[in-house]
Amino acid sequence: MMQRPVTIVSLTAPGAALAERLLVLMPDAEHLHRPQPFQETVQTRFQAGHALVLIMACGIAVRTLASVLQDKYRDPPVLVLDEHGHHVIPLLAGHEGGANAWGERLARDLGGQCVITGARRYTDPVLVAGMGCERGCPEAVLRELLEHSLGEHGLYPGQLAALASIEIKRDEAGLLALAQRLGVPAVFYPAGQLDAYAARLTQRSEIVRRETGCYGVAEAAALAHAEALTGTAAELLIPKRKNARATFALARGYRDTLGR
């Protein structure tokens, strides 16, 4: 998430509607609709270090900020979105300011596409399996679900970096045995931390939330640890799969081999 203030600027009615959707994802952000004076207002936020989400044409954004740009190390990140949220363009501070990762995360949340025009740094994919299960679920049941789900996507267990779940499963013998068999660490996250991923889950269960404190275990745990390992936004490569006693999901993050 952005650690600096965020200002969303819209110019059209559909753009304002998109801004309202963004405010659900970023409740602390400020939304300015057709601010006056326009250029001065946007420049003031930019010079104060605000990350900007500009729902407008790229040309308007460029002409508005051109006179106050410094360099890629000091300028705050700027994203440009079309008024329907189909495309998210990291315009400024892509690598150094985090606009690329922020744009990719926002595009996923909106169901759109992040258009990165700058050169991508060399990265390695990091795969994390997230799993939830009934109390006392045997390791063989967990392993069958994991191997079958990976196999459907042309993947294999040796590609995994870790196995992640919820804190209340820390003593689950089957999960611990599976991690040992795979030769990867088993990591566990508090329910409150997993619940922060609710908006990014493909499935949310009120029953699971009542029982565990979060809307889903497998997807949230996989995302949480993939991001912890890489320091960048992760994506769900395999949404939740389940059998009678367990759930599985796979998240992918990218480790920057030049910067990390």
Side-chain angles (χ1 to χ4, degrees):
M1 301 296 290
M2 282 289 111
Q3 299 302 309
R4 59 173 77 230
V6 176
T7 296
I8 305 167
V9 183
S10 59
L11 296 178
T12 66
L18 175 59
E20 293 303 314
R21 291 172 59 195
L22 292 172
L23 288 172
V24 174
L25 301 172
M26 301 179 290
D28 295 329
E30 171 191 37
H31 174 213
L32 303 176
H33 181 60
R34 296 179 181 173
Q36 296 297 327
F38 174 75
Q39 186 176 58
E40 179 182 338
T41 301
V42 176
Q43 288 182 354
T44 297
R45 297 302 193 282
F46 181 82
Q47 290 176 307
H50 288 218
L52 299 181
V53 179
L54 305 180
I55 307 173
M56 60 191 68
C58 282
I60 297 174
V62 169
R63 287 191 294 272
T64 299
L65 296 173
S67 64
V68 293
L69 299 182
Q70 297 185 75
D71 57 53
K72 64 182 181 180
Y73 300 104
R74 288 179 288 178
D75 291 337
V78 176
L79 302 180
V80 175
L81 280 66
D82 69 275
E83 62 184 12
H84 300 294
H86 296 320
H87 296 96
V88 178
I89 303 172
L91 187 68
L92 293 172
H95 291 306
E96 287 72 13
N100 288 352
W102 184 32
E104 289 177 336
R105 183 167 60 246
L106 207 58
R108 283 196 298 273
D109 291 341
L110 293 172
Q113 180 180 5
C114 184
V115 182
I116 296 177
T117 57
R120 290 179 179 268
R121 303 179 75 172
Y122 182 74
T123 57
D124 283 338
V126 175
L127 302 180
V128 174
M131 298 201 77
C133 65
E134 293 180 357
R135 179 60 65 184
C137 182
E139 185 261 347
V141 173
L142 295 165
R143 185 173 74 253
E144 191 281 330
L145 175 60
L146 179 143
E147 291 178 346
H148 180 74
S149 300
L150 291 175
E152 286 184 328
H153 290 77
L155 301 170
Y156 54 92
Q159 293 174 282
L160 297 177
L163 181 65
S165 190
I166 192 170
E167 180 69 33
I168 58 175
K169 297 297 181 182
R170 180 175 289 277
D171 62 347
E172 193 67 52
L175 282 173
L176 296 174
L178 178 59
Q180 184 175 18
R181 178 185 292 272
L182 296 173
V184 298
V187 293
F188 302 90
Y189 285 86
Q193 191 168 347
L194 298 185
D195 201 40
Y197 288 84
R200 297 170 59 185
L201 305 185
T202 64
Q203 303 173 51
R204 290 182 285 277
S205 169
E206 290 290 346
I207 295 175
V208 172
R209 194 169 196 275
R210 286 197 298 270
E211 293 178 349
T212 68
C214 63
Y215 282 104
V217 172
E219 291 184 344
L223 287 168
H225 197 57
E227 294 185 350
L229 288 177
T230 64
T232 61
E235 60 184 341
L236 281 173
L237 191 59
I238 303 178
K240 186 175 77 171
R241 300 286 188 270
K242 64 180 181 179
N243 58 24
R245 303 193 64 180
T247 58
F248 167 89
L250 186 73
R252 177 174 61 190
Y254 290 93
R255 180 179 287 115
D256 186 337
T257 59
L258 295 180
R260 294 181 64 83

